[in-house]
Amino acid sequence: MTGTTVLRYSGWGRVVLAAVALAVNLALKSPLLLSAAIAVFLIVALVMAFRSRGLRGISGLLVLFADLVFFLALANAPGAAMWIAPAAFVYLLGETLAFYAPLELTVIVGICAVFCGAISKPPTRALEPVVITTGVLAIGCALAQQRQKRETDGLSHRLADAENSAAKAREEERQRIASDFHDGPLQSFISLQMRLEIVRKLLDRDAQAGLQDLKDLQVLAQTQVRDLRTFLHSMRPVDVDGGNFVAVVRRLTETFQKESSIPVTFQGEKTPVGLPRETTLEVLQMLRESLHNVQKHAGATRVAVSLEKTDKGLEISVDDNGHGFPFAGSYSLEELELLRLGPASLKRRARALNAELLLESRPGRGASLKYRVPLA
């Protein structure tokens, strides 16, 4: 039910309550002043019901005060207090619970309880237990509602943060794919196109030299096909069904060795790792991206991948004997981010996994990438 609907029902409930109270007071020949006051309250309630304005700010507090006075008047009225006043109090509690905070509700219940206890009339004093009991229940409900709202708001904020993080991750992944495609397959095909143009002109002048260049282009095309297959393979999701994590990593390294022609040494235990599926996919993607970077940038002739489960988490390392990074030394994730060094996507993935990362660069002698993923 929307807030507007609740406000409309609340307004017409006030009208019905005031109309019944006026009819009863007129039937019981109550004091004329009380009947006139209830009539004025009924007219105001009708105007508010038709206009359906929200109960906010000073005007809302004035309406709440008028409803409070209306109940107190009925509670002290002759004959009507026994059955109209409780209905008015329940309405007052519902209104305060729906549109106000627990503080306002506590003040309303306190005023009503003190008033009923201070009046010497037995019918009015008989309302005191009803006011206290229902008031305490309403306050407890208001506090629970307020706590639930805080929890809901917190969940909404976390959901919004998660959606923003997912959108940012998707955008970064798209940029990474576009960058890899631009620097890899696209540049190779542009080079191939330029070489074909040169061969075409060379064939017109020297057919023998042109044929030799065509053979070189055939080798280049085969290399480009292999690189493109590797690129497309890195875009496919990792299949983790039908085997444990260690077996999947071993299969991943074997596929990399087959497609890149770079020998890979794998060392891993057969002990089950116990990672959640989402974490497993992210770790495998990080490992695959690390191997792809070795093939693309390192110029390595061998790679070593190790996997070990310890008390501190799952430790994975990728070592190669390639060119290394332009910088030398060992750097943690925080140092890499501070100095803006290392692969940005790997740093982002490590941060998302709450993993420790250590990058060691030995220019001219290779590099080592190690990260520890917490298992709990």
Side-chain angles (χ1 to χ4, degrees):
M1 186 179 296
T2 63
T4 304
T5 304
V6 174
L7 181 62
R8 187 184 304 115
Y9 286 157
S10 174
W12 286 109
R14 184 185 294 109
V15 171
V16 172
L17 194 61
V20 172
L22 180 60
V24 171
N25 277 275
L26 290 176
L28 295 176
K29 297 181 180 180
S30 298
L32 184 60
L33 183 60
L34 177 61
S35 298
I38 296 177
V40 173
F41 181 79
L42 175 60
I43 295 173
V44 174
L46 281 168
V47 173
M48 291 184 59
F50 280 110
R51 299 181 69 176
S52 297
R53 287 193 173 181
L55 303 178
R56 295 291 184 270
I58 299 300
S59 60
L61 291 177
L62 290 176
V63 172
L64 183 62
F65 178 75
D67 289 338
L68 173 62
V69 173
F70 176 64
F71 162 73
L72 297 179
L74 291 179
N76 196 35
M82 293 303 295
W83 62 284
I84 299 181
F89 181 69
V90 171
Y91 172 83
L92 182 61
L93 289 182
E95 174 192 3
T96 313
L97 186 62
F99 301 108
Y100 298 93
L103 177 61
E104 286 88 344
L105 181 60
T106 303
V107 172
I108 291 295
V109 172
I111 292 175
C112 293
V114 171
F115 178 84
C116 293
I119 299 300
S120 58
K121 294 181 181 180
T124 304
R125 292 186 63 88
L127 285 174
E128 186 179 13
V130 177
V131 169
I132 294 176
T133 303
T134 56
V136 170
L137 292 176
I139 292 172
C141 182
L143 293 174
Q145 186 178 19
Q146 186 182 58
R147 183 175 64 255
Q148 184 179 20
K149 184 178 183 303
R150 284 198 302 266
E151 294 175 355
T152 303
D153 291 342
L155 290 174
S156 299
H157 288 310
R158 286 196 290 272
L159 178 61
D161 292 340
E163 290 177 347
N164 292 334
S165 299
K168 183 180 179 181
R170 287 193 298 269
E171 181 62 27
E172 290 178 351
E173 191 69 10
R174 282 195 293 266
Q175 292 178 0
R176 185 189 70 82
I177 293 173
S179 177
D180 287 348
F181 189 83
H182 178 273
D183 296 340
L186 183 59
Q187 293 299 321
S188 298
F189 280 110
I190 292 175
S191 175
L192 180 62
Q193 180 186 15
M194 296 175 62
R195 291 283 300 274
L196 285 173
E197 181 64 23
I198 294 174
V199 169
R200 186 188 65 82
K201 295 179 180 179
L202 185 60
L203 284 172
D204 294 337
R205 297 194 304 268
D206 188 347
Q208 189 65 29
L211 289 175
Q212 182 60 42
D213 273 7
L214 279 176
K215 293 180 181 179
D216 295 340
L217 284 178
Q218 185 180 16
V219 176
L220 177 61
Q222 292 172 350
T223 302
Q224 290 175 354
V225 169
R226 185 174 64 250
D227 292 344
L228 187 58
R229 284 176 177 171
T230 303
F231 177 80
L232 293 177
H233 179 75
S234 67
M235 296 299 104
R236 291 197 296 267
V238 182
D239 181 18
V240 296
D241 296 329
N244 58 31
F245 183 79
V246 177
V248 174
V249 173
R250 184 184 299 275
R251 188 167 64 247
L252 184 65
T253 57
E254 291 173 352
T255 302
F256 170 79
Q257 178 174 287
K258 179 180 178 181
E259 295 182 348
S260 65
S261 299
I262 302 176
V264 180
T265 302
F266 174 74
Q267 182 179 1
E269 303 175 353
K270 296 183 179 181
T271 306
V273 176
L275 284 174
R277 178 178 174 82
E278 294 76 10
T279 306
T280 299
L281 292 173
E282 192 69 16
V283 171
L284 291 174
Q285 187 62 32
M286 179 183 288
L287 177 58
R288 190 163 63 177
E289 188 172 334
S290 302
L291 293 173
H292 179 67
N293 288 341
V294 171
Q295 178 187 358
K296 181 180 176 182
H297 302 292
T301 58
R302 59 177 176 82
V303 182
V305 177
S306 66
L307 182 67
E308 183 182 3
K309 180 180 178 182
T310 66
D311 295 336
K312 296 182 179 179
L314 179 64
E315 297 183 357
I316 303 173
S317 65
V318 179
D319 295 272
D320 67 82
N321 64 342
H323 306 312
F325 289 87
F327 52 89
S330 298
Y331 299 89
S332 64
L333 176 59
E334 290 74 16
E335 292 171 336
L336 290 172
E337 290 183 336
L338 181 63
L339 299 173
R340 296 184 178 180
L341 299 175
S345 58
L346 287 178
K347 292 188 294 184
R348 175 181 58 78
R349 292 185 187 277
R351 182 66 68 185
L353 290 170
N354 195 27
E356 299 178 16
L357 186 146
L358 181 65
L359 176 62
E360 182 181 355
S361 175
R362 305 176 295 272
R365 295 184 295 112
S368 174
L369 180 65
K370 300 178 181 179
Y371 41 94
R372 180 188 295 142
V373 182
L375 296 179

